[in-house]
Amino acid sequence: MTTRSLCKLLIAALLGLLAQISAPAMAQRTVKPVLHGSHWMAITGKPLAATAGALTFNRGGNAVDAACAMLAATSTMWDTLGWGGETQALIYNPHTGKVQGINALGVAPSGATVEFFRKQGMVYPPEYGPLAAVTPGTPGGLMVMLSEYGTLSLAEVLAPAMEMAKGYPIEESQADNMESRRELLAKWPGSRKVFLPHLDEKNPEQRAAPLAGEIFRQPDLLATLQKLVDAEAEALAAGKNRKQAIQAAYERFYRGDIARQLVAGSKAFGGLMTLEDLDRWQVHIEEPVSTNYKGIDVYKLTSWVQGPVMLQALNLLEPMDLKSMGYNSSRYIHTLYQVMNLAFADRDFYYGDPYVPPVEPIAGLLSKKYADQRRALINIEHNDTGIKPGDPYPFQGGKNPYVKLLKNWQANPPKAKAEGAEGFQQANLMSADEGFLAGTTSIQAADAEGWVVSVTPSGGWIPAFIPEGTGIGLSQRMQSFVLDEAINPFNVVHPGQRPRATLTPSLAMKDGKPLMAFSVQGGDTQDQNLLQFFLNMVEFKMNVQQAVEAHNILSYQMQSSFGAHQSQPGRLELTRRVSEWDRAELERMGYKVDVVERTYSPVTAIWLDQENGTIWGGASEQGDDYGIGW
């Protein structure tokens, strides 16, 4: 090596060290300010929807009321979700001192079997259209949350969304999204009516979708929401109490005329959903799972979503001195990647719907002793592309029934051939990257009484199939199932089963009191972003706005939950804030490094200042994330 080359290497190494040392100082500068409030905080993926939350607080509502209003507004704005999608939430109840989970994920309808999809020539259930739909979950989730934990009427909470359904000025990103999907949307009359109001078949060059700033009207959705409000009003007039009146609206959606419209409209285009499917489906109020990381209790929903993967990662990281590694140094990034490598491999094989057999080994997966065993597998010098799921069963006193499947498991399994087809997969409309980032918005709300809410609703994103006359865009979550138990025996499609979703709200508690509520838009990247946000706050002492704006790394070694379910072992995406020396080190360690201007990590979060009794809010500078506090 020449003297000049050696000098260059030393300078690069010094710059890398300086970057690590100065990272917390650099993080002081944020694009958006920290939000401060003492009465309430409302944060979500769209400014107008955050305003809906603020309006609801001003009506006298609590954080649950505000979260429901923001959920209704974001669904009406098609913020990567529609009304027929799915909702999952964590709620801290100050009256009981407990965190409760809301499971409002739809299930596979009647007829949705492995054999059915194989005979269609599919390797996985499709990405879009009526056959991609599980039963709608968001309306039921909203109404159950509101009736159990809110204070306002359904009419009051839906008022902002209903006003928007009458017409609101649409933003450019969604208007252009509609136009880009016009070819598919035009095939479905219900979708065409909503998304392509200017479609002129005689003039195909003319724009079909609304223009930015144009008043976007949804009369069918407005009529459906009005039916819910009318059902509530009729029940109240008949002497029913608040909860019973909201239940009457629930009944009308899932067992009344709205249900009949949804089923008829879906069946007209080959959908499988039946009235019995809607009647049997229910929202579960459930116990979340948690782990303790250095004195902080972190709560997640259980294995029907990917949330426990973050808890597994925290268990793996807890004994390590992350701060001494240096923020976003090559050693720190390598450690995060390898930890996520282990945790996501377990997710890919063991996570599924806990309400149907087989039973997921969640106790073993979240065991600290299991984490000790898995941590010993980390190669501190090089990326390990051969990591497989572990065996958590001994750590909960059981025996693994899937030893043979586990032994033969592959991150990228050979594509199975469907009956009568040469491995045909419905055309992937999303690229691999789009699949990893697909769907979801995030909602955080907190109030002075102590209610704290974190929600990650999703499903029914554009291009959504809308059954005619309803205005309700159905979910596309069916694609997250697999058809081959060799990939994941807990997530094989069956009627009445929930697909394992990527959606993952988060709450953290310290000394028995709420500390943080946080979630993020995106698909499979969610829990790796949330893990880094949490570490930014806890290990590197950033404030909440610094932590949401920090440049995360993204890894792609987990199996995608969308499209062709592919994995990309070793691929690592990061920004130029990681020094040139550290990037070179990561390449030497076996990573394929992609340098981008900004990684996708639109986190929204609330931090509860326990010392001063105030509420801090953070909303990413990416996209339209927005918060309002008072």
Side-chain angles (χ1 to χ4, degrees), residues 16-310:
L17 180 60
L18 289 172
Q20 294 163 30
I21 295 170
S22 62
M26 290 168 62
Q28 299 297 320
R29 300 190 296 273
T30 58
V31 174
K32 291 181 179 178
V34 177
L35 296 169
H36 290 284
S38 57
H39 298 288
W40 50 260
M41 188 70 65
I43 308 176
T44 189
K46 295 286 183 184
L48 284 178
T51 302
L55 290 170
T56 305
F57 276 125
N58 284 334
R59 285 179 183 266
N62 68 9
V64 179
D65 297 313
C68 289
M70 289 189 280
L71 172 58
T74 54
S75 298
T76 302
M77 296 180 74
W78 302 94
D79 184 21
T80 56
L81 77 158
W83 270 96
E86 46 271 355
T87 286
Q88 27 283 306
L90 289 171
I91 299 172
Y92 174 74
N93 184 341
H95 303 301
T96 63
K98 291 187 64 178
V99 178
Q100 293 293 150
I102 300 293
N103 179 338
L105 174 61
V107 298
S110 300
T113 64
V114 170
E115 294 72 26
F116 172 83
F117 290 111
R118 293 278 195 215
K119 287 179 180 178
Q120 307 304 308
M122 296 180 184
V123 179
Y124 295 96
E127 293 178 37
Y128 298 106
L131 288 180
V134 295
T135 53
T138 287
L142 186 154
M143 288 185 272
V144 168
M145 279 195 289
L146 181 64
S147 65
E148 293 293 328
Y149 303 111
T151 63
L152 300 181
S153 68
L154 182 63
E156 289 172 308
V157 164
L158 292 186
M162 293 178 71
E163 186 173 346
M164 294 176 73
K166 289 178 184 176
Y168 72 93
I170 193 169
E171 71 279 22
E172 184 176 16
S173 59
Q174 285 303 72
D176 288 349
N177 191 16
M178 295 171 188
E179 182 67 15
S180 71
R181 302 298 194 187
R182 64 182 285 173
E183 185 176 348
L184 183 58
L185 294 170
K187 296 178 180 179
W188 305 318
S191 303
R192 182 171 64 236
K193 179 180 177 182
V194 173
F195 298 123
L196 307 176
H198 308 308
L199 181 66
D200 183 352
E201 294 180 357
K202 295 180 181 179
N203 186 9
E205 300 302 317
Q206 176 180 300
R207 184 182 174 94
L211 289 165
E214 179 181 331
I215 300 299
F216 177 51
R217 295 180 172 87
Q218 302 174 77
D220 288 344
L221 175 61
L222 178 61
T224 296
L225 298 180
Q226 186 64 54
K227 289 176 182 178
L228 300 179
V229 169
D230 289 346
E232 179 189 49
E234 290 165 10
L236 290 170
K240 303 293 185 182
N241 62 30
R242 174 182 169 277
K243 287 183 67 172
Q244 290 169 333
I246 296 172
Q247 180 62 31
Y250 182 104
E251 291 284 329
R252 186 167 187 180
F253 189 94
Y254 287 97
R255 301 183 176 100
D257 56 341
I258 300 173
R260 290 191 290 273
Q261 274 187 300
L262 290 168
V263 169
S266 175
K267 282 189 172 181
F269 286 85
L272 301 174
M273 190 164 54
T274 68
L275 289 172
E276 291 75 18
D277 295 325
L278 292 175
D279 176 62
R280 286 194 294 261
W281 180 80
Q282 63 177 311
V283 178
H284 291 286
I285 300 176
E286 61 187 25
E287 294 294 318
V289 290
S290 65
T291 197
N292 184 279
Y293 181 84
K294 300 183 179 181
I296 297 173
D297 294 307
V298 184
Y299 289 83
K300 287 284 193 173
L301 297 168
T302 192
S303 60
W304 56 279
V305 292
Q306 69 172 337
V309 79
M310 178 177 161

Side-chain angles (χ1 to χ4, degrees), residues 603-621:
V603 178
T604 60
I606 287 173
W607 182 65
L608 289 307
D609 185 341
Q610 295 183 349
E611 183 177 349
N612 296 303
T614 58
I615 309 169
W616 297 42
S620 169
E621 85 283 18

Side-chain angles (χ1 to χ4, degrees), residues 371-393:
D372 292 342
Q373 183 195 72
R374 295 287 275 167
R375 191 184 306 109
L377 299 175
I378 294 176
N379 183 334
I380 63 171
E381 297 296 335
H382 201 272
N383 177 37
D384 188 347
T385 59
I387 287 295
K388 291 189 174 187
D391 185 358
Y393 282 89

Side-chain angles (χ1 to χ4, degrees), residues 385-575:
T385 59
I387 287 295
K388 291 189 174 187
D391 185 358
Y393 282 89
F395 298 89
Q396 60 180 40
K399 186 177 180 180
N400 196 328
Y402 300 110
V403 172
K404 185 176 180 180
L405 293 179
L406 191 62
K407 182 180 179 181
N408 297 320
W409 184 86
Q410 299 176 53
N412 275 314
K415 289 185 178 179
K417 289 190 176 182
E419 183 179 328
E422 293 302 315
F424 171 80
Q425 167 69 39
Q426 176 170 327
N428 294 320
L429 299 183
M430 292 186 288
S431 69
D433 286 9
E434 286 173 331
F436 267 88
L437 306 175
T440 317
T441 192
S442 56
I443 297 169
Q444 321 301 324
D447 63 35
E449 188 182 356
W451 290 95
V452 184
V453 187
S454 181
V455 193
T456 47
S458 189
W461 55 76
I462 298 168
F465 170 78
I466 300 177
E468 280 196 84
T470 67
I472 302 290
L474 297 186
S475 168
Q476 299 99 334
R477 194 59 56 176
M478 189 83 76
Q479 66 183 296
S480 292
F481 280 116
V482 299
L483 305 183
D484 185 350
E485 72 168 3
I487 300 172
N488 179 347
F490 300 88
N491 191 38
V492 179
V493 65
H494 296 290
Q497 180 167 335
R498 292 163 184 79
R500 191 215 72 213
T502 56
L503 310 161
T504 176
S506 317
L507 281 180
M509 307 271 290
K510 188 174 183 181
D511 300 326
K513 297 178 182 178
L515 182 68
M516 284 186 274
F518 52 107
S519 59
V520 64
Q521 299 183 42
D524 294 278
T525 65
Q526 287 178 56
D527 272 301
Q528 58 174 297
N529 277 323
L530 296 177
L531 173 66
Q532 291 171 84
F533 164 82
F534 179 85
L535 296 174
N536 291 343
M537 295 282 293
V538 173
E539 295 286 357
F540 296 100
K541 308 305 179 186
M542 297 182 192
N543 70 38
V544 67
Q545 186 61 36
Q546 292 163 0
V548 300
E549 288 192 20
H551 284 206
N552 290 348
I553 66 163
L554 286 185
S555 65
Y556 292 81
Q557 77 275 32
M558 69 289 291
Q559 290 176 356
S560 173
S561 300
F562 306 92
H565 293 241
Q566 293 298 290
S567 166
Q568 300 176 66
R571 182 184 170 195
L572 186 60
E573 195 174 84
L574 41 78
T575 74

